[in-house]
PDB file of all heavy atoms in Angstrom:
ATOM      1  N   VAL U2144      85.222 130.757  92.852  1.00 98.00           N
ATOM      2  CA  VAL U2144      84.547 129.561  93.360  1.00 98.00           C
ATOM      3  C   VAL U2144      83.604 129.931  94.498  1.00 98.00           C
ATOM      4  O   VAL U2144      82.483 129.425  94.596  1.00 98.00           O
ATOM      5  CB  VAL U2144      85.584 128.510  93.833  1.00 98.00           C
ATOM      6  CG1 VAL U2144      84.893 127.352  94.552  1.00 98.00           C
ATOM      7  CG2 VAL U2144      86.402 127.993  92.656  1.00 98.00           C
ATOM      8  N   VAL U2145      84.056 130.841  95.370  1.00 98.00           N
ATOM      9  CA  VAL U2145      83.234 131.274  96.498  1.00 98.00           C
ATOM     10  C   VAL U2145      82.110 132.201  96.026  1.00 98.00           C
ATOM     11  O   VAL U2145      80.969 132.106  96.489  1.00 98.00           O
ATOM     12  CB  VAL U2145      84.109 131.972  97.564  1.00 98.00           C
ATOM     13  CG1 VAL U2145      83.242 132.604  98.647  1.00 98.00           C
ATOM     14  CG2 VAL U2145      85.085 130.977  98.187  1.00 98.00           C
ATOM     15  N   GLU U2146      82.415 133.094  95.116  1.00 98.00           N
ATOM     16  CA  GLU U2146      81.418 134.075  94.689  1.00 98.00           C
ATOM     17  C   GLU U2146      80.335 133.457  93.800  1.00 98.00           C
ATOM     18  O   GLU U2146      79.158 133.806  93.916  1.00 98.00           O
ATOM     19  CB  GLU U2146      82.113 135.208  93.916  1.00 98.00           C
ATOM     20  CG  GLU U2146      83.019 136.076  94.775  1.00 98.00           C
ATOM     21  CD  GLU U2146      82.239 136.894  95.776  1.00 98.00           C
ATOM     22  OE1 GLU U2146      81.093 137.284  95.472  1.00 98.00           O
ATOM     23  OE2 GLU U2146      82.764 137.140  96.882  1.00 98.00           O
ATOM     24  N   ASN U2147      80.726 132.529  92.921  1.00 97.00           N
ATOM     25  CA  ASN U2147      79.785 132.065  91.904  1.00 97.00           C
ATOM     26  C   ASN U2147      79.698 130.556  91.742  1.00 97.00           C
ATOM     27  O   ASN U2147      78.877 130.087  90.967  1.00 97.00           O
ATOM     28  CB  ASN U2147      80.178 132.654  90.536  1.00 97.00           C
ATOM     29  CG  ASN U2147      80.299 134.151  90.574  1.00 97.00           C
ATOM     30  OD1 ASN U2147      79.329 134.853  90.810  1.00 97.00           O
ATOM     31  ND2 ASN U2147      81.518 134.654  90.351  1.00 97.00           N
ATOM     32  N   GLY U2148      80.561 129.810  92.432  1.00 97.00           N
ATOM     33  CA  GLY U2148      80.640 128.389  92.157  1.00 97.00           C
ATOM     34  C   GLY U2148      80.168 127.492  93.280  1.00 97.00           C
ATOM     35  O   GLY U2148      79.209 127.802  93.991  1.00 97.00           O
ATOM     36  N   THR U2149      80.894 126.406  93.473  1.00 97.00           N
ATOM     37  CA  THR U2149      80.465 125.374  94.420  1.00 97.00           C
ATOM     38  C   THR U2149      80.653 125.770  95.873  1.00 97.00           C
ATOM     39  O   THR U2149      80.179 125.076  96.764  1.00 97.00           O
ATOM     40  CB  THR U2149      81.252 124.076  94.163  1.00 97.00           C
ATOM     41  OG1 THR U2149      82.651 124.338  94.292  1.00 97.00           O
ATOM     42  CG2 THR U2149      80.959 123.528  92.772  1.00 97.00           C
ATOM     43  N   GLY U2150      81.369 126.883  96.121  1.00 97.00           N
ATOM     44  CA  GLY U2150      81.620 127.291  97.504  1.00 97.00           C
ATOM     45  C   GLY U2150      80.857 128.507  97.939  1.00 97.00           C
ATOM     46  O   GLY U2150      81.301 129.236  98.836  1.00 97.00           O
ATOM     47  N   THR U2151      79.681 128.726  97.373  1.00 97.00           N
ATOM     48  CA  THR U2151      78.952 129.976  97.643  1.00 97.00           C
ATOM     49  C   THR U2151      78.477 130.106  99.089  1.00 97.00           C
ATOM     50  O   THR U2151      78.201 131.221  99.543  1.00 97.00           O
ATOM     51  CB  THR U2151      77.740 130.099  96.711  1.00 97.00           C
ATOM     52  OG1 THR U2151      76.940 128.908  96.801  1.00 97.00           O
ATOM     53  CG2 THR U2151      78.182 130.296  95.271  1.00 97.00           C
ATOM     54  N   LYS U2152      78.365 129.009  99.821  1.00 97.00           N
ATOM     55  CA  LYS U2152      77.960 129.124 101.229  1.00 97.00           C
ATOM     56  C   LYS U2152      78.972 129.927 102.034  1.00 97.00           C
ATOM     57  O   LYS U2152      78.642 130.514 103.064  1.00 97.00           O
ATOM     58  CB  LYS U2152      77.743 127.749 101.829  1.00 97.00           C
ATOM     59  CG  LYS U2152      76.440 127.096 101.378  1.00 97.00           C
ATOM     60  CD  LYS U2152      76.184 125.801 102.120  1.00 97.00           C
ATOM     61  CE  LYS U2152      74.777 125.282 101.817  1.00 97.00           C
ATOM     62  NZ  LYS U2152      74.521 125.058 100.391  1.00 97.00           N
ATOM     63  N   ALA U2153      80.220 129.974 101.565  1.00 98.00           N
ATOM     64  CA  ALA U2153      81.243 130.745 102.271  1.00 98.00           C
ATOM     65  C   ALA U2153      81.077 132.238 102.059  1.00 98.00           C
ATOM     66  O   ALA U2153      81.727 133.036 102.744  1.00 98.00           O
ATOM     67  CB  ALA U2153      82.633 130.300 101.810  1.00 98.00           C
ATOM     68  N   LYS U2154      80.216 132.652 101.135  1.00 97.00           N
ATOM     69  CA  LYS U2154      79.965 134.082 100.929  1.00 97.00           C
ATOM     70  C   LYS U2154      79.379 134.725 102.183  1.00 97.00           C
ATOM     71  O   LYS U2154      79.520 135.925 102.404  1.00 97.00           O
ATOM     72  CB  LYS U2154      79.000 134.288  99.758  1.00 97.00           C
ATOM     73  CG  LYS U2154      79.602 134.006  98.390  1.00 97.00           C
ATOM     74  CD  LYS U2154      78.555 134.070  97.290  1.00 97.00           C
ATOM     75  CE  LYS U2154      77.968 135.451  97.155  1.00 97.00           C
ATOM     76  NZ  LYS U2154      77.038 135.543  96.006  1.00 97.00           N
ATOM     77  N   LYS U2155      78.732 133.922 103.024  1.00 97.00           N
ATOM     78  CA  LYS U2155      78.127 134.460 104.235  1.00 97.00           C
ATOM     79  C   LYS U2155      79.159 135.002 105.218  1.00 97.00           C
ATOM     80  O   LYS U2155      78.797 135.654 106.196  1.00 97.00           O
ATOM     81  CB  LYS U2155      77.279 133.389 104.915  1.00 97.00           C
ATOM     82  CG  LYS U2155      76.055 132.981 104.100  1.00 97.00           C
ATOM     83  CD  LYS U2155      75.230 131.944 104.848  1.00 97.00           C
ATOM     84  CE  LYS U2155      73.996 131.537 104.052  1.00 97.00           C
ATOM     85  NZ  LYS U2155      73.181 130.514 104.761  1.00 97.00           N
ATOM     86  N   LEU U2156      80.437 134.728 104.967  1.00 98.00           N
ATOM     87  CA  LEU U2156      81.473 135.283 105.834  1.00 98.00           C
ATOM     88  C   LEU U2156      81.459 136.803 105.776  1.00 98.00           C
ATOM     89  O   LEU U2156      81.781 137.474 106.763  1.00 98.00           O
ATOM     90  CB  LEU U2156      82.853 134.745 105.409  1.00 98.00           C
ATOM     91  CG  LEU U2156      84.051 135.262 106.192  1.00 98.00           C
ATOM     92  CD1 LEU U2156      83.931 134.887 107.668  1.00 98.00           C
ATOM     93  CD2 LEU U2156      85.344 134.711 105.607  1.00 98.00           C
ATOM     94  N   GLY U2157      81.109 137.355 104.631  1.00 96.00           N
ATOM     95  CA  GLY U2157      80.985 138.799 104.517  1.00 96.00           C
ATOM     96  C   GLY U2157      82.284 139.544 104.355  1.00 96.00           C
ATOM     97  O   GLY U2157      82.342 140.745 104.618  1.00 96.00           O
ATOM     98  N   ARG U2158      83.335 138.872 103.940  1.00 97.00           N
ATOM     99  CA  ARG U2158      84.610 139.522 103.667  1.00 97.00           C
ATOM    100  C   ARG U2158      85.313 138.728 102.562  1.00 97.00           C
ATOM    101  O   ARG U2158      84.949 137.592 102.289  1.00 97.00           O
ATOM    102  CB  ARG U2158      85.489 139.622 104.920  1.00 97.00           C
ATOM    103  CG  ARG U2158      85.844 138.304 105.560  1.00 97.00           C
ATOM    104  CD  ARG U2158      86.884 138.490 106.684  1.00 97.00           C
ATOM    105  NE  ARG U2158      86.337 139.192 107.824  1.00 97.00           N
ATOM    106  CZ  ARG U2158      87.040 140.018 108.591  1.00 97.00           C
ATOM    107  NH1 ARG U2158      88.315 140.247 108.303  1.00 97.00           N
ATOM    108  NH2 ARG U2158      86.484 140.610 109.630  1.00 97.00           N
ATOM    109  N   PRO U2159      86.320 139.314 101.897  1.00 98.00           N
ATOM    110  CA  PRO U2159      86.982 138.608 100.799  1.00 98.00           C
ATOM    111  C   PRO U2159      87.482 137.236 101.232  1.00 98.00           C
ATOM    112  O   PRO U2159      88.154 137.106 102.265  1.00 98.00           O
ATOM    113  CB  PRO U2159      88.144 139.540 100.427  1.00 98.00           C
ATOM    114  CG  PRO U2159      87.670 140.893 100.825  1.00 98.00           C
ATOM    115  CD  PRO U2159      86.866 140.682 102.067  1.00 98.00           C
ATOM    116  N   ALA U2160      87.143 136.218 100.446  1.00 98.00           N
ATOM    117  CA  ALA U2160      87.530 134.848 100.759  1.00 98.00           C
ATOM    118  C   ALA U2160      87.717 134.074  99.468  1.00 98.00           C
ATOM    119  O   ALA U2160      87.080 134.356  98.453  1.00 98.00           O
ATOM    120  CB  ALA U2160      86.491 134.171 101.638  1.00 98.00           C
ATOM    121  N   ALA U2161      88.600 133.085  99.509  1.00 98.00           N
ATOM    122  CA  ALA U2161      88.843 132.196  98.381  1.00 98.00           C
ATOM    123  C   ALA U2161      88.863 130.775  98.910  1.00 98.00           C
ATOM    124  O   ALA U2161      89.251 130.534 100.062  1.00 98.00           O
ATOM    125  CB  ALA U2161      90.172 132.533  97.704  1.00 98.00           C
ATOM    126  N   GLY U2162      88.452 129.823  98.093  1.00 98.00           N
ATOM    127  CA  GLY U2162      88.447 128.451  98.572  1.00 98.00           C
ATOM    128  C   GLY U2162      88.055 127.464  97.501  1.00 98.00           C
ATOM    129  O   GLY U2162      87.703 127.834  96.381  1.00 98.00           O
ATOM    130  N   LYS U2163      88.093 126.199  97.864  1.00 98.00           N
ATOM    131  CA  LYS U2163      87.753 125.132  96.920  1.00 98.00           C
ATOM    132  C   LYS U2163      87.066 123.996  97.655  1.00 98.00           C
ATOM    133  O   LYS U2163      87.455 123.617  98.764  1.00 98.00           O
ATOM    134  CB  LYS U2163      89.020 124.589  96.232  1.00 98.00           C
ATOM    135  CG  LYS U2163      88.731 123.544  95.169  1.00 98.00           C
ATOM    136  CD  LYS U2163      88.003 124.146  93.982  1.00 98.00           C
ATOM    137  CE  LYS U2163      87.561 123.063  92.992  1.00 98.00           C
ATOM    138  NZ  LYS U2163      86.345 122.361  93.461  1.00 98.00           N
ATOM    139  N   THR U2164      86.021 123.485  97.031  1.00 98.00           N
ATOM    140  CA  THR U2164      85.299 122.328  97.552  1.00 98.00           C
ATOM    141  C   THR U2164      85.930 121.049  97.012  1.00 98.00           C
ATOM    142  O   THR U2164      86.618 121.058  96.000  1.00 98.00           O
ATOM    143  CB  THR U2164      83.833 122.381  97.116  1.00 98.00           C
ATOM    144  OG1 THR U2164      83.787 122.391  95.680  1.00 98.00           O
ATOM    145  CG2 THR U2164      83.143 123.617  97.642  1.00 98.00           C
ATOM    146  N   GLY U2165      85.692 119.950  97.700  1.00 97.00           N
ATOM    147  CA  GLY U2165      86.198 118.658  97.239  1.00 97.00           C
ATOM    148  C   GLY U2165      85.344 117.519  97.738  1.00 97.00           C
ATOM    149  O   GLY U2165      84.957 117.493  98.909  1.00 97.00           O
ATOM    150  N   THR U2166      85.014 116.616  96.856  1.00 94.00           N
ATOM    151  CA  THR U2166      84.250 115.410  97.212  1.00 94.00           C
ATOM    152  C   THR U2166      84.857 114.250  96.453  1.00 94.00           C
ATOM    153  O   THR U2166      85.214 114.382  95.282  1.00 94.00           O
ATOM    154  CB  THR U2166      82.773 115.556  96.832  1.00 94.00           C
ATOM    155  OG1 THR U2166      82.264 116.762  97.388  1.00 94.00           O
ATOM    156  CG2 THR U2166      81.960 114.384  97.364  1.00 94.00           C
ATOM    157  N   THR U2167      84.979 113.094  97.097  1.00 93.00           N
ATOM    158  CA  THR U2167      85.648 111.970  96.455  1.00 93.00           C
ATOM    159  C   THR U2167      84.654 110.927  95.957  1.00 93.00           C
ATOM    160  O   THR U2167      83.458 110.982  96.246  1.00 93.00           O
ATOM    161  CB  THR U2167      86.624 111.294  97.435  1.00 93.00           C
ATOM    162  OG1 THR U2167      85.905 110.874  98.593  1.00 93.00           O
ATOM    163  CG2 THR U2167      87.719 112.250  97.843  1.00 93.00           C
ATOM    164  N   ASP U2168      85.188 110.000  95.209  1.00 87.00           N
ATOM    165  CA  ASP U2168      84.397 108.943  94.609  1.00 87.00           C
ATOM    166  C   ASP U2168      83.615 108.186  95.681  1.00 87.00           C
ATOM    167  O   ASP U2168      84.115 107.934  96.781  1.00 87.00           O
ATOM    168  CB  ASP U2168      85.333 107.982  93.865  1.00 87.00           C
ATOM    169  CG  ASP U2168      84.596 107.092  92.897  1.00 87.00           C
ATOM    170  OD1 ASP U2168      83.503 107.477  92.456  1.00 87.00           O
ATOM    171  OD2 ASP U2168      85.122 106.009  92.573  1.00 87.00           O
ATOM    172  N   GLN U2169      82.382 107.836  95.340  1.00 89.00           N
ATOM    173  CA  GLN U2169      81.468 107.120  96.242  1.00 89.00           C
ATOM    174  C   GLN U2169      81.160 107.911  97.503  1.00 89.00           C
ATOM    175  O   GLN U2169      80.726 107.350  98.503  1.00 89.00           O
ATOM    176  CB  GLN U2169      82.042 105.737  96.610  1.00 89.00           C
ATOM    177  CG  GLN U2169      82.273 104.831  95.406  1.00 89.00           C
ATOM    178  CD  GLN U2169      82.854 103.489  95.801  1.00 89.00           C
ATOM    179  OE1 GLN U2169      82.605 102.990  96.903  1.00 89.00           O
ATOM    180  NE2 GLN U2169      83.645 102.909  94.914  1.00 89.00           N
ATOM    181  N   ASN U2170      81.408 109.222  97.438  1.00 92.00           N
ATOM    182  CA  ASN U2170      81.030 110.101  98.541  1.00 92.00           C
ATOM    183  C   ASN U2170      81.661 109.687  99.873  1.00 92.00           C
ATOM    184  O   ASN U2170      81.038 109.738 100.927  1.00 92.00           O
ATOM    185  CB  ASN U2170      79.505 110.131  98.673  1.00 92.00           C
ATOM    186  CG  ASN U2170      78.987 111.409  99.306  1.00 92.00           C
ATOM    187  OD1 ASN U2170      77.924 111.424  99.901  1.00 92.00           O
ATOM    188  ND2 ASN U2170      79.733 112.483  99.192  1.00 92.00           N
ATOM    189  N   LYS U2171      82.951 109.319  99.822  1.00 95.00           N
ATOM    190  CA  LYS U2171      83.627 108.840 101.029  1.00 95.00           C
ATOM    191  C   LYS U2171      84.268 109.956 101.837  1.00 95.00           C
ATOM    192  O   LYS U2171      84.617 109.747 103.007  1.00 95.00           O
ATOM    193  CB  LYS U2171      84.676 107.792 100.658  1.00 95.00           C
ATOM    194  CG  LYS U2171      84.060 106.478 100.186  1.00 95.00           C
ATOM    195  CD  LYS U2171      85.129 105.441  99.910  1.00 95.00           C
ATOM    196  CE  LYS U2171      84.497 104.109  99.505  1.00 95.00           C
ATOM    197  NZ  LYS U2171      85.517 103.079  99.210  1.00 95.00           N
ATOM    198  N   SER U2172      84.443 111.119 101.255  1.00 96.00           N
ATOM    199  CA  SER U2172      84.962 112.260 102.014  1.00 96.00           C
ATOM    200  C   SER U2172      84.520 113.538 101.343  1.00 96.00           C
ATOM    201  O   SER U2172      84.241 113.570 100.137  1.00 96.00           O
ATOM    202  CB  SER U2172      86.497 112.225 102.113  1.00 96.00           C
ATOM    203  OG  SER U2172      87.095 112.357 100.840  1.00 96.00           O
ATOM    204  N   ALA U2173      84.439 114.606 102.126  1.00 97.00           N
ATOM    205  CA  ALA U2173      84.068 115.926 101.611  1.00 97.00           C
ATOM    206  C   ALA U2173      84.949 116.965 102.300  1.00 97.00           C
ATOM    207  O   ALA U2173      85.189 116.884 103.516  1.00 97.00           O
ATOM    208  CB  ALA U2173      82.593 116.215 101.874  1.00 97.00           C
ATOM    209  N   TRP U2174      85.447 117.935 101.527  1.00 98.00           N
ATOM    210  CA  TRP U2174      86.371 118.937 102.041  1.00 98.00           C
ATOM    211  C   TRP U2174      85.935 120.345 101.625  1.00 98.00           C
ATOM    212  O   TRP U2174      85.322 120.525 100.578  1.00 98.00           O
ATOM    213  CB  TRP U2174      87.780 118.727 101.464  1.00 98.00           C
ATOM    214  CG  TRP U2174      88.529 117.540 101.960  1.00 98.00           C
ATOM    215  CD1 TRP U2174      88.314 116.230 101.633  1.00 98.00           C
ATOM    216  CD2 TRP U2174      89.648 117.551 102.858  1.00 98.00           C
ATOM    217  NE1 TRP U2174      89.232 115.423 102.256  1.00 98.00           N
ATOM    218  CE2 TRP U2174      90.063 116.206 103.010  1.00 98.00           C
ATOM    219  CE3 TRP U2174      90.342 118.563 103.521  1.00 98.00           C
ATOM    220  CZ2 TRP U2174      91.139 115.857 103.823  1.00 98.00           C
ATOM    221  CZ3 TRP U2174      91.417 118.213 104.322  1.00 98.00           C
ATOM    222  CH2 TRP U2174      91.806 116.874 104.478  1.00 98.00           C
ATOM    223  N   PHE U2175      86.292 121.299 102.462  1.00 98.00           N
ATOM    224  CA  PHE U2175      86.331 122.690 102.030  1.00 98.00           C
ATOM    225  C   PHE U2175      87.601 123.299 102.614  1.00 98.00           C
ATOM    226  O   PHE U2175      87.816 123.264 103.835  1.00 98.00           O
ATOM    227  CB  PHE U2175      85.112 123.498 102.476  1.00 98.00           C
ATOM    228  CG  PHE U2175      85.128 124.899 101.918  1.00 98.00           C
ATOM    229  CD1 PHE U2175      84.744 125.131 100.607  1.00 98.00           C
ATOM    230  CD2 PHE U2175      85.551 125.977 102.678  1.00 98.00           C
ATOM    231  CE1 PHE U2175      84.783 126.422 100.064  1.00 98.00           C
ATOM    232  CE2 PHE U2175      85.596 127.258 102.149  1.00 98.00           C
ATOM    233  CZ  PHE U2175      85.203 127.487 100.828  1.00 98.00           C
ATOM    234  N   VAL U2176      88.437 123.821 101.726  1.00 98.00           N
ATOM    235  CA  VAL U2176      89.665 124.498 102.138  1.00 98.00           C
ATOM    236  C   VAL U2176      89.584 125.916 101.602  1.00 98.00           C
ATOM    237  O   VAL U2176      89.428 126.129 100.394  1.00 98.00           O
ATOM    238  CB  VAL U2176      90.924 123.803 101.595  1.00 98.00           C
ATOM    239  CG1 VAL U2176      92.175 124.446 102.188  1.00 98.00           C
ATOM    240  CG2 VAL U2176      90.897 122.306 101.916  1.00 98.00           C
ATOM    241  N   GLY U2177      89.648 126.889 102.492  1.00 98.00           N
ATOM    242  CA  GLY U2177      89.524 128.268 102.078  1.00 98.00           C
ATOM    243  C   GLY U2177      90.353 129.193 102.935  1.00 98.00           C
ATOM    244  O   GLY U2177      90.858 128.804 103.997  1.00 98.00           O
ATOM    245  N   TYR U2178      90.468 130.442 102.488  1.00 98.00           N
ATOM    246  CA  TYR U2178      91.313 131.384 103.216  1.00 98.00           C
ATOM    247  C   TYR U2178      90.872 132.813 102.978  1.00 98.00           C
ATOM    248  O   TYR U2178      90.193 133.136 101.994  1.00 98.00           O
ATOM    249  CB  TYR U2178      92.782 131.217 102.802  1.00 98.00           C
ATOM    250  CG  TYR U2178      93.042 131.291 101.310  1.00 98.00           C
ATOM    251  CD1 TYR U2178      93.362 132.497 100.680  1.00 98.00           C
ATOM    252  CD2 TYR U2178      93.022 130.140 100.525  1.00 98.00           C
ATOM    253  CE1 TYR U2178      93.616 132.572  99.327  1.00 98.00           C
ATOM    254  CE2 TYR U2178      93.276 130.187  99.162  1.00 98.00           C
ATOM    255  CZ  TYR U2178      93.582 131.406  98.560  1.00 98.00           C
ATOM    256  OH  TYR U2178      93.831 131.470  97.206  1.00 98.00           O
TER     257      TYR U2178
END
Side-chain angles (χ1 to χ4, degrees):
V2144 172
V2145 172
E2146 292 292 328
N2147 306 296
T2149 58
T2151 53
K2152 285 187 171 58
K2154 288 173 64 175
K2155 294 182 179 180
L2156 178 61
R2158 60 172 69 213
K2163 184 67 187 78
T2164 59
T2166 307
T2167 58
D2168 196 24
Q2169 300 179 30
N2170 206 206
K2171 290 183 177 179
S2172 64
W2174 289 74
F2175 185 79
V2176 187
Y2178 53 92

